[in-house]
């Protein structure tokens, strides 16, 4: 496994996304993923599956310290007094004493960012999170957060796949030492039918999804593909035995545009 560095955090390059995985399916997939070699699980308070993620982790028999667990605080808990309670509730559901990474799930302009970041930093200082970071932050918000946060930020988790150009956010992350973690890294499954990626894949004997994930990791990005299927768990992590040529990297990067975004909400920030 390759690790992606982010201001002191060592984030395994491939993690398991768990959005929409619920109940026994979630626990079983987390357990199987860890048995197959995954060492990074991405959950969030709002996914309502932290309990099952914890169950899967314990059922796998993998040592707690060998697994990188990320959770996220939902935006309704950004007042300082709410944030610490929310973090403790996540830990209680996961049955962990600390997460490896705790993120602000989305920016929330209703609460001054410095106050929320101050509370997030205190959660880290209290030992409830080994690292802290943000998600869905734009370049301007990254700049503001880095200046306001008393503790280093380990990452910005944002949507990133071949159809969405994220060069500006990547640059800002690199400038401040944050790792970029790619969510929806296989464009919510749309990558599967991509002819250009499949054609590149034929040369390496890899699937379109594997080409896509390798393209992310080769840019020093951590990717957290989600699947509910055992065979795809294996497929999505089996990307460390080949390397894309520079020409192929360039061809895939050229597929991206500013309007390739799949996740957008009324409360989203003004994207770069
Ligand atoms: N921070 C945020 O705001 C945010 C937002 C969105 C997502 N996330 C995180 O990022 C994770 C991943 O993003 P995502 O769930 O939106 O999308 P994704 O991982 O890009 O795609 C998941 C979809 O692709 C399918 N799939 C998985 N592996 C495949 C493969 N090898 N070939 C073909 N299809 C495949 C899955 O179906 P099957 O289950 O049938 O395999 C599922 O429908 C989430 O689970 C969550 O943890 C974070």
């Amino acid at each position: 496994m390759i690790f992606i560095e982010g201001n002191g955090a060592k984030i395994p390059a491939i993690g398991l996304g768990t959005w929409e995985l619920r109940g026994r399916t979630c626990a079983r997939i987390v357990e199987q993923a860890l048995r197959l070699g995954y060492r990074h699980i991405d959950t969030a308070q709002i996914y309502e599956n932290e309990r099952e993620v914890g169950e899967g982790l314990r059922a796998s028999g993998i040592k707690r310290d060998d697994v990188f667990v990320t959770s996220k605080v939902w935006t309704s808990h950004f007042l300082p007094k709410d944030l610490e309670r929310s973090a403790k509730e996540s830990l209680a559901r996961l049955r962990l004493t600390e997460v490896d990474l705790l993120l602000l799930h989305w920016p929330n302009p209703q609460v001054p960012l410095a106050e929320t970041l101050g509370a997030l930093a205190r959660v880290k200082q209290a030992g409830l999170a080994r690292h802290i970071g943000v998600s869905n932050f734009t370049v301007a918000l990254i700049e503001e957060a880095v200046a306001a946060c008393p503790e280093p930020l380990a990452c910005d988790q944002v949507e990133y796949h071949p159809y969405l150009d994220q060069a500006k956010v990547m640059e800002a992350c690199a400038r401040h030492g944050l790792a970029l973690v790619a969510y929806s890294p296989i464009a919510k499954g749309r990558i599967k039918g991509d002819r250009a990626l499949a054609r590149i894949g034929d040369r390496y004997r890899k699937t379109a999804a594997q080409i896509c994930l390798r393209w992310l990791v080769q840019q020093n990005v951590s990717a957290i593909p989600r699947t509910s299927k055992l065979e795809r768990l294996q497929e999505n992590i089996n990307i460390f035995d080949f390397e894309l040529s520079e020409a192929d990297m360039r061809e895939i990067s050229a597929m991206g545009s500013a309007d390739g975004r799949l996740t957008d909400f009324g409360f989203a920030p003004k994207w770069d």
Side-chain angles (χ1 to χ4, degrees):
M1 177 66 73
I2 292 173
F3 293 88
I4 309 298
E5 296 269 349
N7 283 325
K10 283 181 71 184
I11 307 173
I14 291 289
L16 175 70
T18 67
W19 176 55
E20 286 188 328
L21 297 178
R22 296 277 169 86
R24 281 186 53 78
T25 306
C26 178
R28 217 176 33 240
I29 283 287
V30 168
E31 175 187 350
Q32 296 290 357
L34 292 167
R35 292 205 168 151
L36 282 173
Y38 283 72
R39 290 294 179 269
H40 171 187
I41 311 288
D42 182 84
T43 181
Q45 181 181 49
I46 200 83
Y47 300 168
E48 295 184 355
N49 64 11
E50 288 173 310
R51 201 175 304 280
E52 290 77 14
V53 166
E55 277 169 27
L57 177 57
R58 282 185 295 284
S60 73
I62 305 293
K63 282 208 297 266
R64 163 66 188 99
D65 281 353
D66 291 343
V67 185
F68 193 96
V69 180
T70 299
S71 194
K72 316 185 194 82
V73 184
W74 190 245
T75 52
S76 51
H77 301 122
F78 280 11
L79 284 175
K81 65 176 169 45
D82 296 334
L83 192 137
E84 188 177 348
R85 182 178 42 78
S86 168
K88 284 182 176 160
E89 285 170 2
S90 282
L91 291 173
R93 283 189 292 268
L94 285 158
R95 286 177 54 198
L96 296 177
T97 53
E98 61 190 355
V99 287
D100 294 273
L101 182 58
L102 188 66
L103 306 179
L104 303 182
H105 204 143
W106 283 84
N108 175 3
Q110 314 287 335
V111 184
L113 183 56
E115 285 182 26
T116 305
L117 287 170
L120 188 66
R122 284 194 293 282
V123 162
K124 180 184 172 193
Q125 288 154 2
L128 305 180
R130 288 182 180 146
H131 303 280
I132 56 174
V134 293
S135 178
N136 295 299
F137 271 40
T138 57
V139 173
L141 285 164
I142 292 170
E143 299 292 346
E144 189 184 341
V146 165
C149 192
E151 291 281 339
L153 293 167
C155 85
D156 189 10
Q157 182 183 122
V158 294
E159 178 176 341
Y160 188 33
H161 46 69
Y163 306 138
L164 179 63
D165 181 355
Q166 285 285 31
K168 290 177 184 163
V169 173
M170 274 187 62
E171 243 171 60
C173 282
R175 196 162 56 240
H176 294 290
L178 279 72
L180 192 140
V181 176
Y183 77 65
S184 304
I186 47 174
K188 296 183 184 283
R190 288 167 174 76
I191 288 296
K192 184 176 160 42
D194 192 286
R195 305 259 295 267
L197 292 176
R199 182 178 41 73
I200 294 173
D202 286 345
R203 292 206 301 276
Y204 297 91
R205 294 176 186 273
K206 294 287 174 181
T207 65
Q210 289 172 321
I211 296 298
C212 169
L213 292 167
R214 179 72 207 184
W215 170 79
L216 289 165
V217 169
Q218 242 173 270
Q219 296 170 78
N220 208 30
V221 163
S222 172
I224 47 171
R226 161 183 55 110
T227 182
S228 54
K229 301 198 170 65
L230 201 55
E231 64 277 14
R232 286 178 170 170
L233 274 181
Q234 182 74 68
E235 177 182 342
N236 293 348
I237 204 167
N238 194 6
I239 62 153
F240 296 106
D241 58 352
F242 75 111
E243 192 169 343
L244 290 167
S245 70
E246 274 180 35
D248 289 332
M249 289 293 289
R250 270 198 307 276
E251 182 181 343
I252 302 168
S253 297
M255 294 164 68
S257 71
D259 58 9
R261 194 176 296 278
L262 303 172
T263 295
D264 213 353
F265 296 107
F267 58 77
K270 190 175 174 306
W271 302 112
D272 295 295

